[in-house]
Amino acid sequence: QVDVVQSGGGLVQPGGSLRLSCVASGDIHSIYMMAWYRQAPGQEREQVATITSGGRTTYADFVKGRFTISRDNAEKTIGLQMSSLKPDDTAVYYCTARIMGTATRTAAWYWGQGTQVTVSS
């Protein structure tokens, strides 16, 4: 069994910063791609940023220069530092990781529980 648990989020004023974190635990052999997604009310889930096991990153245009994704392979964690937040960033944020189980030796995407980020004055 693999668990992915998120922390962080909350309410912040426009222009403020927040950090989201995510930790994977359980029957883990390897962790490949990790990523953050978000879903605003009435909208489809969209990719925010990705990071490979080697540390290569990609960002959606709407967060470039404002958000930074990071990971710690030893600790099995992923982070998202969000700065210069805008009301349009309000959404439920999800972390996800492609993980190979030690027992199954098959890879699958595992998702965190989601955390609300609200940007409002």
Side-chain angles (χ1 to χ4, degrees):
Q1 180 179 347
V2 174
D3 292 313
V4 177
V5 178
Q6 297 180 219
S7 60
L11 174 64
V12 65
Q13 292 187 342
S17 298
L18 277 177
R19 179 174 176 81
L20 305 180
S21 298
C22 194
V23 59
S25 62
D27 176 38
I28 297 173
H29 179 272
S30 302
I31 302 178
Y32 305 110
M33 182 75 77
M34 304 181 85
W36 289 94
Y37 283 73
R38 71 184 188 185
Q39 187 168 21
Q43 298 187 22
E44 294 186 354
R45 190 172 297 188
E46 59 186 0
Q47 189 180 85
V48 175
T50 69
I51 186 166
T52 67
S53 57
R56 184 161 42 187
T57 59
T58 66
Y59 294 93
D61 286 343
F62 52 78
V63 302
K64 280 182 181 177
R66 300 188 299 122
F67 291 12
T68 302
I69 189 172
S70 61
R71 68 187 280 173
D72 184 322
N73 290 330
E75 297 296 325
K76 301 182 180 63
T77 61
I78 180 176
L80 186 68
Q81 180 66 44
M82 305 182 292
S83 302
S84 302
L85 283 160
K86 308 173 183 179
D88 285 349
D89 294 318
T90 296
V92 177
Y93 284 72
Y94 298 89
C95 67
T96 184
R98 188 159 179 82
I99 297 172
M100 174 181 285
T102 300
T104 63
R105 292 304 175 107
T106 58
W109 287 97
Y110 292 86
W111 291 82
Q113 77 276 21
T115 186
Q116 178 70 46
V117 171
T118 302
V119 184
S120 175
S121 55

